[in-house]
């Protein structure tokens, strides 16, 4: 059995089951076998999922906006456990249940993994530390490069914020609305459709940001010890700059190309003013398998290249 778990979009939290030997067509209208009318970005008949008992396939049904698996547009693709499926304004995580049915009447389905137990009098292995720090997130369901990116973002432990440009992908506002996370528009006058969102490490939104947005110029990430309101108020100061003649220009600093080019050229004073409460900035490099981390030092911006492997 294949389960599509909606992790973002208008039906986030919903689970769709496809039994072995069946095909389920999904779209916005009743032309499909399973209609998601809440998602206006879906085509009437958008994609199909087929499970033949040995493998699972996803087929695009000629949709307008395309069907994406792990960020790549597909027409016919075999999918595996943990893959990300993006269609319209909805993102699904694919779960493939290969557990054989339990024989016997009335027996519940149970997990096969054993739960460690310790009986009274059991000898304890003292070679292991008695106390250990809380484990960091395992980032299950993400590829190795994606997990490396998340580790770089959340490793130091500071709150993480994403700065996202809806001009790069019109679905971003819908993703934010469905995420349940705190976010706000950076420019209330609407001259730039840019949003700042707080992204805790357990946020479902990460599935979209990392799997679908990384490498596509959606924006950048920042870490800080401050809250969303402080970050928003600080960054809003840079949306519009003025020339020597007094003309207002929009400073698209959220564009990774702009950030990569200008940050290393800042003087110590400029870097300190631009970073403000932000401890670090992490931006995609020209190659998506690499990231650039910027921070401030007494000598100016410090740049570090992160290889996501």
């Amino acid at each position: 059995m294949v389960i599509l778990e909606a992790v973002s979009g208008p039906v986030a939290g919903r689970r769709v089951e496809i039994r072995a030997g069946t095909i389920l067509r999904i779209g916005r209208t009743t032309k499909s076998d399973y209609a998601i009318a809440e998602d206006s970005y879906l085509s009437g008949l958008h994609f199909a999922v087929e499970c033949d008992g040995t493998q699972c396939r996803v087929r695009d049904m000629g949709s307008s906006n395309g069907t994406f698996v792990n960020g790549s547009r597909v027409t016919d693709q075999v999918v595996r456990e943990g893959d990300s499926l993006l269609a319209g304004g909805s993102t699904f995580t694919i779960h493939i249940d290969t557990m054989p049915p339990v024989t016997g009447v009335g027996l519940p389905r149970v997990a096969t993994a054993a739960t460690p137990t310790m009986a009274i009098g059991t000898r304890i292995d003292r070679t292991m530390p008695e106390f250990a720090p809380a484990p960091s997130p395992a980032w299950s369901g993400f590829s190795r490069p994606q997990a490396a990116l998340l580790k770089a973002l959340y490793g130091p432990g500071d709150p993480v914020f994403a700065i996202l440009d809806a001009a790069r992908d019109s679905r971003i506002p819908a993703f934010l609305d469905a995420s349940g996370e705190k976010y706000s528009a950076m420019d209330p006058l609407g001259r730039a459709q840019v949003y700042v969102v707080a992204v805790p490490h357990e946020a479902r939104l990460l599935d979209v940001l990392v799997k679908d947005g990384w490498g596509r110029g959606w924006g950048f990430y920042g870490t800080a010890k401050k809250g969303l309101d402080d970050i928003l108020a600080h960054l809003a100061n840079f949306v519009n700059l003025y020339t020597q003649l007094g003309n207002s220009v929009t400073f698209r600093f959220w564009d990774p190309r702009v950030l990569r080019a200008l940050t290393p050229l800042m003087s110590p004073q400029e870097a300190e003013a631009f970073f403000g409460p932000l401890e670090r900035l992490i931006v995609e490099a020209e190659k998506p398998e690499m990231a650039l981390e910027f921070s401030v030092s007494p000598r100016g911006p410090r740049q570090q290249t992160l290889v996501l492997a």
Side-chain angles (χ1 to χ4, degrees):
M1 181 173 66
V2 176
I3 300 172
L4 301 183
E5 180 184 5
V7 294
S8 69
V11 293
R14 186 179 299 180
R15 294 165 67 89
V16 183
E17 296 183 357
I18 303 100
R19 298 285 177 177
T22 63
I23 300 175
L24 187 71
R25 300 176 302 169
I26 297 176
R28 191 186 72 257
T29 69
T30 53
K31 294 180 180 179
S32 58
D33 303 314
Y34 188 96
I36 304 178
E38 300 93 333
D39 191 342
S40 60
Y41 291 102
L42 283 175
S43 294
L45 184 58
H46 199 107
F47 70 96
V49 181
E50 178 181 357
C51 179
D52 64 6
T54 60
Q55 64 181 9
C56 176
R57 308 187 71 90
V58 169
R59 291 191 177 94
D60 183 78
M61 305 296 289
S63 65
S64 299
N65 296 323
T67 302
F68 299 80
V69 174
N70 296 332
S72 299
R73 188 165 185 165
V74 302
T75 55
D76 188 338
Q77 176 76 34
V78 174
V79 291
R80 297 174 175 82
E81 169 67 28
D83 281 351
S84 172
L85 170 63
L86 173 65
S90 301
T91 300
F92 303 87
T93 296
I94 296 174
H95 301 291
I96 301 179
D97 187 353
T98 58
M99 182 182 294
V102 179
T103 58
V105 178
L107 292 178
R109 195 178 224 190
V110 297
T112 58
T115 303
T117 59
M118 180 177 290
I120 297 175
T122 301
R123 184 173 180 272
I124 300 174
D125 184 358
R126 294 297 183 183
T127 61
M128 297 296 291
E130 188 171 352
F131 299 100
S136 58
W139 307 121
S140 60
F142 292 93
S143 68
R144 188 171 177 178
Q146 292 164 354
L149 171 63
L150 291 167
K151 184 177 180 180
L153 281 171
Y154 292 93
D158 291 333
V160 174
F161 302 88
I163 293 80
L164 304 172
D165 183 6
R168 301 292 302 203
D169 194 312
S170 61
R171 299 168 300 171
I172 288 176
F175 292 150
L176 295 177
D177 285 339
S179 71
E181 305 301 338
K182 295 181 179 179
Y183 76 95
S184 184
M186 189 185 299
D187 182 9
L189 298 180
R191 290 164 293 187
Q193 290 183 299
V194 183
Y195 300 87
V196 182
V197 55
V199 191
H201 70 81
E202 72 276 9
R204 295 180 301 179
L205 184 62
L206 281 174
D207 199 72
V208 173
L209 297 182
V210 174
K211 295 182 179 180
D212 301 318
W214 184 259
R216 290 176 170 78
W218 281 16
F220 69 96
Y221 295 91
T223 65
K225 294 180 172 63
K226 298 287 187 177
L228 176 64
D229 291 342
D230 293 311
I231 303 303
L232 184 68
H234 173 72
L235 293 178
N237 294 322
F238 298 93
V239 173
N240 292 287
L241 301 181
Y242 294 88
T243 66
Q244 292 180 341
L245 298 177
N247 297 320
S248 175
V249 294
T250 301
F251 177 31
R252 297 184 57 83
F253 63 87
W254 48 84
D255 189 322
R257 296 168 296 182
V258 174
L259 210 56
R260 291 195 302 258
L262 293 186
T263 305
L265 303 179
M266 293 179 181
S267 68
Q269 294 78 16
E270 290 171 335
E272 185 176 353
F274 179 69
F275 275 72
L278 293 166
E279 302 283 340
R280 299 179 302 144
L281 306 179
I282 294 183
V283 59
E284 61 193 43
E286 292 184 8
K287 296 181 179 180
E289 61 268 22
M290 303 178 72
L292 300 180
E293 178 184 285
F294 295 105
S295 57
V296 179
S297 73
R299 300 178 62 181
R302 180 191 294 116
Q303 176 178 322
Q304 180 179 357
T305 300
L306 308 176
V307 179
L308 306 178

